[in-house]
Each structure stands twice: as C-alpha cells, then as structure tokens.
C-alpha cells in the first residue's frame, strides 16, 4: 500500500492555512495543523476540518514545541504560514512581530535541523518585501525595500530561509505572494473590512465604514488559487523562490466601487468615512507583481479576476449576516 504524504502546516486556523489544508486533503495528504494555545479555540476557518486533520499545539516563539510537532507528524512537507501578519499592528508590537514573523522562521528551520530527516520547507514570504517598489511590476530579482516592522521581519525570514538552503543544502522555498483574499480573510484587513461593511450597510445594520488611506493600490488575488502555487513550488526537484501575483493593481477606491456596485450603490461617498486611526506611519503606495517565472516553471496562473473576488466576498458576508 502506498503511504500517504504528510504535511505540517503552521497557522492552520488562518486564511491560507485552512485553504491549503483543503487542497492537501483533496490531494490525499495526511495533514497536521499547528495552532497555538488560546483560552477560546479559534477554529472558525477550520471547523469543517475537525476529524479530517490532526491539530497539534505549537508556537513559533517556542522552538521545542515546533520540534515536538515535527516528531509527532514526521512530515514530508512543512509549510510555515504562521505569523503576526497584520502590517498595521506591526508598528504597535514591533518586537513581538519580529519575534514571531522573523525569528519564528529561524526556530522552525533549527527545529528541522535538529529533527534531522530530509524534508521540504515552505516559507510564506510577501510582496511587503518590495515596499517602496523600485521596479514595477516586481519580480524575483527586484531589490527589496520593506516599509514596516512586519516587512522587515519578513525580510529576515526570507533571507534566513535562503541562507539555510545554501548553508545546509536544505530544500527551502519562499513564495513571494502578493495580497490574496477570500471569504475567510480576517476582519481587520481592508478587503474583508469593506465586504463586511458593505454587507452590513445593505442589510440596514450599519450606516458607514471607517477607513484610512483610500489611494494605495494592491495586486489582489484569490487565496485558493495562491495555495495551489505553494504546493506546486514544493513539488519541484530543486528549491527556488517564486513571485505569485495577478499582474494587476487596483486602489482601495476601486475596491469600494465594485463592492458597493454589488449591492446596487453607485456613489459610496456618504457611506465611507476617513479616520486617521487607520493611517500608517509609512505607507506602501503600490504593489504589483510579475508572475511570469511561476507561469513558465510551475505552470501556475491566477484563475480568479478582481471583480469576481470582490463580489464573492460581498455575497459571502451578506449570506453570513443573514444566517
Ligand atoms: P492569517 O490569517 O493572519 O494567519 C496567520 C496565522 O498565524 C493565524 O492562524 C495565527 O494564529 C498564527 N500565529 C500567529 N502567531 C503565532 C505564533 N506565535 N505561533 C503559532 N501560530 C501563530 O494570515 P494569512 O493571510 O493566512 O497569511 C498566511 C501567511 O502568509 C502569513 O505568514 C502572512 O504573513 C503571509 N502572507 C500573507 C499574504 C496575504 O495577502 N494573505 C501575502 C503574503 C504573505 P491565531 O489564530 O492563534 O492568531
Ligand atoms: O488589507 P491590508 O491591511 O493589507 P496589507 O497591508 O497590504 O498586508 C497584507 O498583504 C501583505 C502582502 O502584500 C501580507 F504580507 C500581509 O500579511 C497582509 O496580508 O491593507 C491594504 C491597504 C494598505 O495600504 C492600507 O493602508 O489598505 C489600506 N487601508 C486603508 N484603510 C486599510 C484601511 N487597511 C486596513 N487594514 N484597514 C483600514 O481601515
């Protein structure tokens, strides 16, 4: 009998962790998900996976706990998706962000070395590495210029992943993923904040959304498309890093246009208030990626366009609120 492939995913209850688990189960993997302890279980994104995957307790700030997760799962593939992932919060908690998002990757790499078995490691790198983009669209060779404590922490994680690949001949890949969203996105991120806010306004539950900078632009894709790119990177014979993006950038205003159109509102001015609390000390004005290397070498392309992404998120929030 063929043994199933085993995958260990940190950040299992996050947006990407849950979508990746869905994909790997479909591919007949045995999936182990790392969650940190909390007084109230946070399995909103993974309640449908209970009984189908094994949850393990571990924390990126505790290397021994990661080692035990490796021992208890004996994985062929490790996906390090856990992070303090909210850019805005990283100015409030820069040390904690650096510890989890930066040093957390090092702890997992050291735990893998200690564990001693050969396996494949995926690090969740980000377009925030490009920050003040020096080349548009950005590709794998574009120099980095992070603009937040989060971006700087991810830069460390990115380079330590590469350094361990070169130092110890490990199979380490970094996926430099541009923004990707889904119905499972956390409520503080701008896309979900808007889809949820628009849904509430359309149902008469709220009369406005408070936002910060409306002029920044992002290259937004759909998370289920992007977790497939993670898996493809791990199926290569040789480890390498890839940009995953759509190649198109839209502003927050354009996101608002489409989201409000979904509920029949063509002029949203009266429903949106700008609030300085949501402005950032340093902004990333635009992010746009060139995914041609991933297309050529992985055969990967985005499948979901911007309008479909936005309208799916708004519809999902309307249904959720009605329920
Ligand atoms: P997310 O929804 O915020 O999920 C992050 C997960 O990390 C959460 O489940 C969180 O657990 C967990 N976590 C936080 N601190 C931890 C710790 N100390 N130990 C163990 N787990 C911890 O993020 P996402 O959007 O799915 O993103 C996945 C990864 O990709 C992140 O590393 C993010 O930085 C990166 N990334 C995301 C995007 C994007 O657009 N989504 C783009 C590029 C890169 P709790 O539930 O307990 O808080
Ligand atoms: O939705 P955001 O918070 O995402 P951001 O900062 O682009 O970060 C996300 O994508 C990164 C990849 O590029 C990931 F690495 C990271 O983990 C995360 O998933 O903000 C997007 C834009 C920013 O320019 C922000 O200033 O929206 C602007 N914005 C305007 N009003 C707001 C708001 N962002 C948030 N979160 N909340 C607002 O009220």
């Amino acid at each position: 009998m063929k043994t199933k492939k085993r995958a260990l995913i940190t950040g299992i209850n996050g947006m990407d962790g849950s979508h990746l688990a869905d994909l790997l189960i479909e591919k007949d993997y045995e999936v182990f998900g790392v969650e940190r302890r909390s007084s109230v279980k946070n399995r909103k994104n993974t309640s449908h996976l209970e009984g189908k995957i094994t949850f393990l307790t571990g924390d990126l700030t505790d290397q021994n706990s990661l080692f035990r997760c490796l021992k208890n799962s004996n994985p062929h593939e490790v996906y390090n998706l856990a992070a303090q992932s909210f850019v805005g919060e990283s100015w409030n908690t820069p040390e904690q962000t650096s510890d989890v998002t930066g040093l957390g990757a090092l702890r997992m790499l050291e735990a893998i070395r200690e564990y001693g078995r050969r396996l494949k490691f995926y690090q969740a790198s980000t377009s925030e590495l490009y920050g003040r983009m020096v080349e548009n669209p950005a590709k794998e060779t574009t120099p980095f210029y992070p603009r937040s404590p989060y971006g700087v922490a991810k830069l460390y994680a990115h380079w330590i992943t590469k350094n361990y690949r070169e130092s110890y001949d490990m199979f380490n890949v970094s996926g430099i993923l541009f923004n990707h969203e889904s119905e499972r996105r956390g409520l503080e991120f701008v896309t979900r904040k808007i889809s949820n806010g628009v849904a509430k306004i359309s149902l008469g539950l709220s009369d406005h959304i408070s936002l910060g900078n409306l002029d920044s632009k992002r290259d937004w894709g759909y998370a289920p498309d992007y977790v497939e790119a993670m898996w493809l990177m791990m199926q290569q014979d040789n480890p390498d890093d890839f940009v995953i993006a759509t190649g198109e950038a839209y502003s927050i205003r354009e996101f608002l246009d489409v989201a409000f159109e979904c509920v029949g509102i063509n002029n949203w001015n009266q429903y949106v208030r700008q609030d300085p609390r949501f402005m950032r000390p340093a902004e990333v004005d635009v992010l746009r990626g060139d995914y041609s290397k991933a297309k050529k070498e992985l055969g990967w392309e985005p499948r979901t366009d911007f309008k479909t992404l936005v309208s799916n998120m708004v519809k999902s929030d309307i249904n959720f609120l009605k329920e």
Side-chain angles (χ1 to χ4, degrees), residues 63 66-68 70-71 75 78 104-121 160-172:
Q63 191 175 312
L66 302 176
F67 180 74
R68 277 191 293 279
L70 289 167
K71 254 179 57 180
V78 174
L106 172 69
R107 292 192 189 96
M108 181 56 98
L109 288 164
E110 276 294 296
I112 292 172
R113 276 193 351 106
E114 194 66 25
Y115 183 55
R117 300 210 178 150
R118 197 158 172 81
L119 51 79
K120 295 184 173 185
F121 174 77
I160 201 69
T161 300
K162 196 176 168 92
N163 176 263
Y164 271 44
R165 174 163 83 209
E166 294 172 1
S167 304
Y168 303 116
D169 190 29
M170 293 169 81
F171 187 108
N172 294 345

Side-chain angles (χ1 to χ4, degrees), residues 241-254:
D241 304 333
F242 291 90
V243 161
I244 302 299
T246 69
E248 292 175 12
Y250 296 91
S251 66
I252 313 296
R253 287 181 197 282
E254 288 168 304

Side-chain angles (χ1 to χ4, degrees), residues 10-18 34-38 42 45 58-61 66 80-86 96 100-101 123-128 150 154 175-181 184-186 188-189 220 223 230:
T10 70
I12 189 68
N13 295 326
M15 176 181 70
D16 285 2
S18 63
V34 181
E35 61 182 358
R36 55 181 169 167
R37 195 229 155 239
S38 64
N42 170 25
N45 289 335
D59 196 303
L60 281 194
T61 59
L66 302 176
N80 185 34
L81 308 186
Q84 191 301 92
S85 72
F86 188 34
Q96 194 260 359
V100 176
T101 305
Q123 169 59 21
S125 279
T126 163
S127 46
E128 278 289 306
Y150 166 84
K154 281 282 186 186
I176 308 174
L177 272 51
F178 282 64
N179 294 52
H180 47 281
E181 318 293 317
R184 298 182 195 168
R185 187 55 139 155
E188 74 270 61
F189 297 92
W220 277 299
M230 296 178 187

